Amino acid sequence: MATWPAIGPGEHDFSLGEELHSSVTAERWCVTMRDLRHLRKQVCKALKHGEITPTARDAFDARDRSFGPTIYSVTDQFVKPVTAQAGGMS
């Protein structure tokens, strides 16, 4: 399995990203099915409270619990604000 080679202090060469994405198996993602279920519950709650809304880029139906929003909308409208509130950790 590939590793991130350092190219300088605190810097890494990310050119191996595609290789790593295809070679790291699901059990090594550090995200469990329980985590995904929790995220889904949180996203559904955010949709219900209008914290995630359709945009020109993602015109999903907020009432449809089977399809949408995209992960881009979830990241921009939910994950980033929650992360910022928690002090900006990753």
Side-chain angles (χ1 to χ4, degrees):
M1 181 169 78
T3 59
W4 299 117
I7 56 176
E11 297 177 355
H12 297 279
D13 176 3
F14 294 106
S15 64
L16 297 175
E18 186 173 342
E19 179 184 342
L20 286 169
H21 278 275
S22 64
S23 66
V24 177
T25 56
E27 65 269 8
R28 300 199 59 183
W29 290 350
C30 300
V31 175
T32 65
M33 186 57 71
R34 183 178 177 193
D35 295 332
L36 293 174
R37 287 187 186 113
H38 177 73
L39 176 62
R40 179 176 169 82
K41 286 181 185 178
Q42 295 300 309
V43 168
C44 286
K45 187 189 299 186
L47 285 164
K48 183 179 178 180
H49 295 328
E51 297 169 21
I52 302 173
T53 58
T55 65
R57 182 177 175 191
D58 182 15
F60 67 91
D61 180 351
R63 298 166 297 185
D64 184 350
R65 294 299 186 251
S66 298
F67 184 78
T70 67
I71 194 62
Y72 299 106
S73 293
V74 171
T75 299
D76 287 343
Q77 297 182 45
F78 181 73
V79 174
K80 287 179 181 180
V82 168
T83 302
Q85 285 178 329
M89 65 207 173
S90 61

